[in-house]
């Protein structure tokens, strides 16, 4: 049996770890996976046609898509089932996604419980559904304690963008107490910026990431972050596709957990 995976940039850690889990679980089930990587969401339809031409029996899509774009892909693929990882809860498609609001709340509450009040946010790209959901979740939780973030910046998920935006957030007269970062790769760049400025983490600034990719325990200091269990998500997605029965929408919200390491205090 053959499945297809349409994925966003595999140079990023999270999508590559999902792809890895998909490949290995499919292999255990005797299925093969054709992978198509798209640089821009607009390329999704073309990737879909290529994979359908190769007779895939089910499709996974890990590309940030707005609701209507995801629904369009689902229609074009029918009767081949499609499971999406990165769409909003409102999209009328099969969906296996992490709870972004819970993740954002956990990160913000962790910093609040440590007594931090001057909190800066480093969000992901505005084009990403999950990035927008994390930012909204942070803001909502901070607002409950009457806190307005002292600064908001947007990166592109890469460590390089975290480094650049990190330097911007550290440039003012007064340092933030803490920075909530929308993924671990950007947090890596922020920590590098802190090191260059001689700002101690966690002594002067606490940093919380999002993802818990495999490298995050090896950052210096080891990163406090919100864990998204990518391996489990990849495995479950394959299991569902290989046993898919067509009635109703399958929509699963996966819980996330806070992993406390040493970048926050
Ligand atoms: C999301 C990651 O959290 C982020 O680090 C980045 O890699 C992004 O993917 C790329 O699209 S996880 C996704 C399943 C919402």
């Amino acid at each position: 049996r053959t499945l297809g995976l349409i994925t966003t940039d595999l140079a990023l850690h999270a999508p590559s770890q999902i792809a890895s889990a998909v490949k290995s679980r499919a292999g255990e089930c005797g299925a093969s996976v054709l992978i198509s990587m798209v640089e821009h969401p607009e390329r999704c339809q073309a990737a879909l046609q290529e994979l359908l031409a190769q007779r895939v029996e089910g499709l996974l899509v890990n590309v940030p898509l707005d609701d209507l774009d995801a629904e369009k892909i689902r229609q074009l693929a029918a009767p081949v089932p499609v499971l999406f990882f990165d769409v909003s809860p409102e999209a009328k498609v099969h969906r296996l996604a992490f709870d972004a609001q819970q993740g954002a709340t956990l990160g913000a509450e962790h910093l609040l419980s440590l007594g931090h009040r001057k909190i800066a946010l480093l969000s992901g790209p505005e084009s990403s559904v999950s990035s927008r959901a994390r930012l909204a979740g942070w803001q909502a939780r901070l607002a409950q304690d009457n806190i307005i973030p002292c600064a908001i910046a947007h990166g592109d998920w890469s460590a390089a963008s975290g480094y650049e935006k990190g330097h911007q957030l550290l440039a003012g007269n007064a340092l933030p107490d803490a920075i909530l970062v929308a993924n671990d790769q950007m947090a890596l760049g922020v920590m590098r910026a802190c090191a260059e400025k001689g700002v101690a983490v966690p002594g002067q600034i606490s940093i919380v990431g999002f993802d818990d990719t495999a490298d995050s325990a090896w950052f210096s200091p080891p990163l406090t972050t919100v864990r998204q269990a990518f391996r489990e998500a990849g495995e479950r997605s394959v299991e569902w596709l290989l046993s898919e029965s067509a009635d109703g929408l399958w929509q699963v919200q996966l819980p996330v957990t806070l992993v406390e390491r040493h970048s926050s205090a």
Side-chain angles (χ1 to χ4, degrees):
R1 304 185 66 181
T2 306
L3 303 176
L5 168 64
I6 304 177
T7 179
T8 191
D9 191 358
L10 286 171
L12 291 171
H13 295 173
S16 71
Q17 288 179 20
I18 291 174
S20 163
V22 165
K23 269 282 197 192
S24 46
R25 188 74 188 107
E28 288 161 10
C29 298
S32 53
V33 183
L34 300 175
I35 298 182
S36 175
M37 189 178 102
V38 296
E39 310 271 349
H40 296 287
E42 309 85 72
R43 290 276 308 145
C44 256
Q45 288 196 18
L48 173 72
Q49 300 306 346
E50 283 163 24
L51 290 173
L52 290 175
Q54 297 176 79
R55 308 208 167 279
V56 295
E57 291 167 55
L59 272 157
L60 300 166
V61 178
N62 183 21
V63 177
L65 290 175
D66 292 322
D67 297 359
L68 293 179
D69 295 325
E71 286 162 20
K72 180 80 190 166
I73 297 274
R74 177 176 88 129
Q75 285 161 13
L76 290 171
V80 174
V82 190
L83 178 60
F84 293 84
F85 287 108
D86 201 355
V87 292
S88 86
E90 284 76 41
K92 292 178 193 61
V93 295
H94 301 301
R95 171 177 184 266
L96 176 73
F98 295 99
D99 189 336
Q101 199 202 322
Q102 182 203 13
T105 304
L106 285 172
E109 283 182 348
H110 173 63
L111 291 177
L112 293 169
S113 74
L114 292 169
H116 299 309
R117 293 290 175 270
K118 273 194 72 189
I119 298 174
L121 309 178
L122 176 49
S123 173
E126 287 175 72
S127 57
S128 156
V129 193
S130 306
S131 161
R132 295 196 299 265
R134 291 172 201 175
L135 176 61
W138 286 333
Q139 289 173 308
R141 183 58 191 85
L142 294 179
Q144 283 178 21
D145 282 32
N146 298 314
I147 292 175
I148 295 172
C150 62
I152 301 180
H154 289 271
D156 66 3
W157 298 127
S158 70
S161 74
Y163 172 78
E164 184 199 336
K165 303 296 171 170
H167 266 298
Q168 277 176 27
L169 294 172
L170 301 176
N173 293 331
L175 290 176
D177 299 334
I179 308 180
L180 283 163
V181 188
N183 79 338
D184 291 358
Q185 285 185 272
M186 293 196 295
L188 178 63
V190 171
M191 294 209 299
R192 169 74 193 220
C194 289
E196 284 183 2
K197 281 222 124 196
V199 172
V201 177
Q204 289 170 280
I205 289 194
S206 287
I207 294 176
V208 177
F210 208 110
D211 277 347
D212 197 27
T213 39
D215 299 341
S216 309
W218 309 102
F219 290 3
S220 184
L223 187 68
T224 295
T225 188
V226 174
R227 177 173 171 74
Q228 306 196 95
F230 294 123
R231 182 145 295 274
E232 285 77 358
E235 292 177 352
R236 279 188 72 179
S237 69
V238 169
E239 286 155 17
W240 180 79
L241 266 190
L242 290 176
S243 64
E244 196 264 341
S245 60
D247 33 296
L249 286 183
W250 189 66
Q251 295 188 319
V252 175
Q253 184 101 297
L254 297 170
V256 296
T257 50
L258 181 76
V259 181
E260 286 183 49
R261 297 200 183 94
H262 302 296
S263 62
S264 55

